Amino acid sequence: MGRTIGEVVLDLNNVSLSFGGVKALSDISFDVREHEVRAIIGPNGAGKSSMLNVINGVYRPQEGEIVLRGEHFSRMSPYKAAQSGIARTFQHIALFKGMSVLDNIMTGRTLKMKSNLVQQAFRLGPAWREELEHRAKVEEIIDFLEIQHIRKTPVGRLPYGLQKRVDLGRALAMEPQILLLDEPMAGMNVEEKQDMSRFILDVNDQLGTTIVLIEHDMGVVMDISDRVVVLDYGKKIGDGTPDEVRSNEEVISAYLGASH
Amino acid sequence: MLYRENGQFKSSYAADQQIFPIVQDRWAILGIVAFAFAAVPLLANEYLLSAILVPFLILALAALGVNLLVGYCGQITLGAGAFMAVGAYAAYNFFIRVDGMPLLAALLLGGLTAAAVGIVFGVPSLRVRGLYLAVATLAAQFLADWAFLRIKWFTNDSPSGSVSVANLHVLGWKIDSPVDRYLLCLAVLVVFALLAKNMVRSAIGRQWMAIRDMDVAAEVIGIRPMFAKLSAFAVSSFIVGVAGALWGFIHLSSWEPAAFSVDRSFQLLFMVIIGGMGSIMGSFFGAAFIVVLPIFLNQFLPWLGGLVGLAVSTATVSHAEFMIFGVLIVFFLIVEPHGLARLWSIGKEKLRLWPFPH
Ligand SMILES: Nc1ncnc2c1ncn2[C@@H]1O[C@H](COP(=O)(O)OP(=O)(O)O)[C@@H](O)[C@H]1O
Ligand SMILES: [Mg+2]
């Protein structure tokens, strides 16, 4: 692989989050290094998705802080996270279902587009040039994900596996430094999973994008991740390389042994 | 030549991003616009121009504005009538109070004023949606009804709130005959339709639709809901405001606040639902349908009654009208939220593949 794992870019310190009486996350700390593939695993309801939602500011933790490249945040906002180069995909598909594949991915370019409303209304030079420029970039992503044939299709009409791919495309369009993937392969058949793993590894390898990945398929996780965090009932019960995690007693009894 | 896109390969993204990527569509639209400008004024009589075409054009413009907000950005509004009123009365005040104010400038200033008011009434959309937002925008309607009736300054101290304008010119062209009125409204509609189409296929339109379809995902991408929603309120209210000003100045030439009542708000919303939410073309279909249906029923129902020996009164006709609208709205909301525009594009898709369905 052409990448070398670098410094810590994202550091979570003692994060706690609860919804009413439900403690979704209790005192979680872990870090993510530049260019690595960091997996978060754990049974359903363990708090994995909540963790991603904290990282990109959708949920506000009651305690703890997020350190992003040395900058401390006690509360992140989705806008700030997007500006800081964090993109994500969703466990339950959250595409813009009335829009075409192309338009969905184009929305990922929002923060990079600078022309104003009046320029766009009149299709003035700057707006028009910008649109074509970003279209070219989006077409690269469409080629990369091998979805050329559906670029004009409304996403609501696509099968599940392709929607997941478009979701990834929209996140990639942001050219993120950190990409959060929430169960990108859930509900896919073996072949689709292989395609998706390949895309994720290519992104990590060729673009150097740091990846935080939630995944249930243990085979996939052990194959593609550098380090793994294990959550159970909102608590961290393991953290280390796939091999270390695999041999951790607590993890085996809580997770690997029990539900899978 | 048949309706085909075979062989029309796009060699650049620029070509692919034309408004009407299919050549036949482009020619059809150009043909319709040319016909509307050149042939209609020769063919149509005064009644058709003043009583049907001018109202249709202006209401189509207003429906277009409402559609940007409701259909593209997903924010409900029951206050469109209020924004028409703001546009009309603001344009009126600029027109009579500023010496030498050109008509076009007054219309646009009316639109800008409506946009500003629209932003204010759009603020609740940052916190509430659906029914609550509908009620908040309805407040705009009641406030406007009240303000233009009670605050005499707005209506230049006329006792009933009734105002009138005369002596309308656009760049030296005297707007006098029904043909003049028709052509002015047509020109304004064509320009705004083009601008609206450009917006909905640009970054701003994508932001609106993203907020409509999935607001959390939109935020995570870096779309600011406040900017997206308030810009939709502003642009929508601007267009609705210009339509209101045209309604007052060009269609009515003397009017009172009742011209922009809550009935108008509902009517515009119905146009968008029947015509097609999220479709520029749909706004025109909806407006045409709602303007033409009553006229059609007025002719058709008495004739039908005559056939079976029944006298059909005007009251019966207007009841029938309400029932038909009601049924259609329920039908479109449940079965086809994209309205007539969707039925139209299904038809086109079939035609495109005909006679080989696969
Ligand atoms: N928006 C929310 N409101 C209330 N409870 C929530 C919300 N999001 C997550 N939870 C709760 O937090 C816990 C962790 O959920 P989640 O993070 O989705 O777990 P996972 O992704 O590991 O399956 C669950 O008990 C869930 O019910
Ligand atoms: Mg989850």
Side-chain angles (χ1 to χ4, degrees):
Chain A
M1 283 202 215
R3 74 209 167 94
T4 38
I5 291 175
E7 298 289 299
V8 170
V9 280
L10 176 67
D11 199 359
L12 294 135
N13 294 330
N14 311 98
V15 170
S16 295
L17 171 76
S18 46
F19 297 100
V22 180
K23 221 154 196 242
L25 298 170
S26 342
D27 199 28
I28 305 284
S29 302
F30 69 95
D31 61 21
V32 180
R33 295 177 170 277
E34 193 163 18
H35 307 312
E36 81 173 330
V37 178
R38 186 71 149 127
I40 303 176
I41 64 172
N44 274 329
K48 306 181 297 296
S49 298
S50 301
M51 195 67 244
L52 293 195
N53 280 326
V54 165
I55 295 175
N56 75 345
V58 176
Y59 291 167
R60 303 268 161 89
Q62 281 82 17
E63 280 164 57
E65 61 163 9
I66 302 165
V67 186
L68 184 62
R69 284 189 218 89
E71 209 181 330
H72 294 249
F73 296 92
S74 59
R75 42 199 287 162
M76 180 62 94
S77 77
Y79 184 71
K80 180 72 200 162
Q83 263 191 330
S84 315
I86 301 179
R88 76 171 288 183
T89 67
F90 294 83
Q91 176 176 1
H92 304 288
I93 290 171
L95 290 170
F96 308 128
K97 61 179 186 309
M99 298 161 71
S100 67
V101 168
L102 184 62
D103 281 345
N104 265 273
I105 302 179
M106 282 294 277
T107 56
R109 307 295 293 174
T110 300
L111 281 176
K112 300 191 182 300
M113 298 186 82
K114 298 287 175 255
S115 65
N116 63 37
L117 200 154
V118 175
Q119 291 170 325
Q120 290 172 25
F122 288 91
R123 287 252 136 169
L124 299 181
W128 177 235
R129 269 194 303 278
E130 188 178 59
E131 183 83 12
L132 293 181
E133 231 171 81
H134 290 280
R135 170 79 190 269
K137 181 72 204 171
V138 163
E139 289 289 342
E140 279 174 28
I141 293 166
I142 288 178
D143 287 347
F144 169 69
L145 295 174
E146 296 156 17
I147 48 177
Q148 299 91 337
H149 57 295
I150 50 164
R151 60 158 81 70
K152 293 289 174 69
T153 312
V155 293
R157 285 199 222 155
L158 296 177
Y160 181 81
L162 283 177
Q163 293 199 19
K164 282 278 196 193
R165 229 185 257 197
V166 177
D167 194 7
L168 177 62
R170 186 177 63 182
L172 288 177
M174 293 169 70
E175 298 182 64
Q177 274 109 51
I178 302 176
L179 180 58
L180 316 176
L181 302 173
D182 197 344
E183 306 202 15
M185 298 165 218
M188 286 187 170
N189 63 33
V190 175
E191 200 181 330
E192 288 171 326
K193 278 186 186 177
Q194 279 168 353
D195 283 340
M196 190 53 96
S197 307
R198 181 162 55 82
F199 295 136
I200 294 170
L201 284 177
D202 280 353
V203 168
N204 177 244
D205 198 32
Q206 290 165 21
L207 306 175
T209 310
T210 307
I211 288 172
V212 181
L213 169 76
I214 297 176
E215 186 45 58
H216 268 303
D217 186 316
M218 285 326 254
V220 172
V221 170
M222 297 301 166
D223 266 2
I224 73 175
S225 48
D226 297 301
R227 290 190 299 157
V228 183
V229 179
V230 191
L231 300 184
D232 190 25
Y233 290 112
K235 296 201 177 61
K236 183 167 103 169
I237 58 167
D239 190 350
T241 64
D243 284 334
E244 284 164 6
V245 165
R246 221 190 317 241
S247 52
N248 178 325
E249 286 301 323
E250 202 178 350
V251 173
I252 293 171
S253 63
Y255 181 55
L256 298 174
S259 65
H260 284 257
Chain B
M1 178 57 197
L2 292 169
Y3 188 70
R4 282 295 138 78
E5 59 176 320
N6 296 4
Q8 296 179 20
F9 295 109
K10 309 295 183 304
S11 54
S12 71
Y13 301 139
D16 194 34
Q17 279 171 337
Q18 285 169 333
I19 297 192
F20 299 104
I22 299 178
V23 171
Q24 287 89 336
D25 279 353
R26 209 143 62 223
W27 284 110
I29 296 289
L30 278 179
I32 291 170
V33 172
F35 182 82
F37 272 108
V40 170
L42 301 176
L43 299 173
N45 61 20
E46 286 203 4
Y47 169 78
L48 188 61
L49 287 168
S50 309
I52 299 177
L53 291 176
V54 166
F56 158 70
L57 292 171
I58 299 174
L59 292 176
L61 181 64
L64 171 66
V66 174
N67 211 337
L68 291 183
L69 185 63
V70 178
Y72 285 92
C73 196
Q75 309 299 306
I76 187 82
T77 175
L78 290 177
F83 298 115
M84 283 184 84
V86 171
Y89 282 103
Y92 169 75
N93 278 287
F94 282 111
F95 193 64
I96 58 153
R97 288 176 198 278
V98 182
D99 246 2
M101 171 66 72
L103 173 62
L104 276 188
L107 296 178
L108 293 179
L109 285 168
L112 283 177
T113 312
V117 177
I119 290 174
V120 173
F121 281 94
V123 168
S125 74
L126 305 178
R127 303 303 301 271
V128 298
R129 62 178 89 194
L131 185 60
Y132 297 97
L133 183 58
V135 172
T137 55
L138 199 55
Q141 185 67 51
F142 289 116
L143 197 64
D145 286 355
W146 174 83
F148 295 120
L149 212 54
R150 298 279 173 242
I151 303 179
K152 294 299 173 196
W153 187 85
F154 288 145
T155 51
N156 204 20
D157 298 322
S158 97
S160 62
S162 149
V163 299
S164 61
V165 290
N167 252 331
L168 304 176
H169 295 268
V170 173
L171 310 171
W173 164 36
K174 190 161 166 45
I175 307 296
D176 203 12
S177 68
V179 169
D180 297 334
R181 293 163 197 278
Y182 164 80
L183 286 175
L184 177 64
C185 293
L186 179 64
V188 173
L189 178 64
V190 168
V191 169
F192 275 101
L194 201 64
L195 296 181
K197 185 81 191 173
N198 279 343
M199 278 188 270
V200 301
R201 64 206 183 96
S202 295
I204 187 69
R206 289 191 294 265
Q207 291 195 26
W208 292 340
M209 291 185 274
I211 287 286
R212 171 195 69 190
D213 286 350
M214 189 61 73
D215 51 359
V216 174
E219 259 191 282
V220 162
I221 279 170
I223 292 173
R224 282 163 302 166
M226 182 162 98
F227 174 76
K229 288 180 184 173
L230 294 187
S231 65
F233 269 96
V235 171
S236 163
S237 309
F238 178 77
I239 296 177
V240 172
V242 170
L246 283 176
W247 191 259
F249 278 60
I250 307 297
H251 178 49
L252 301 174
S253 73
S254 82
W255 71 93
E256 46 193 80
F260 306 105
S261 66
V262 69
D263 290 353
R264 183 69 68 204
S265 295
F266 278 107
Q267 193 189 39
L268 289 171
L269 198 59
F270 293 165
M271 285 179 186
V272 170
I273 292 170
I274 291 178
M277 288 191 267
S279 158
I280 304 274
M281 189 80 97
S283 319
F284 303 158
F285 287 148
F289 190 81
I290 288 197
V291 170
V292 170
L293 183 72
I295 297 163
F296 169 76
L297 289 181
N298 263 319
Q299 304 291 325
F300 176 72
L301 286 184
W303 172 81
L304 193 69
L307 283 186
V308 292
L310 273 173
V312 177
S313 69
T314 10
T316 316
V317 172
S318 74
H319 290 155
E321 199 185 309
F322 277 120
M323 281 170 0
I324 291 174
F325 283 150
V327 169
L328 282 174
I329 284 158
V330 172
F331 169 80
F332 280 116
L333 279 179
I334 294 174
V335 182
E336 188 48 81
H338 299 291
L340 293 171
R342 176 86 187 116
L343 300 181
W344 170 250
S345 71
I346 290 174
K348 273 205 320 194
E349 220 161 280
K350 293 244 160 74
L351 189 60
R352 204 140 132 189
L353 300 172
W354 186 85
F356 309 107
H358 291 293

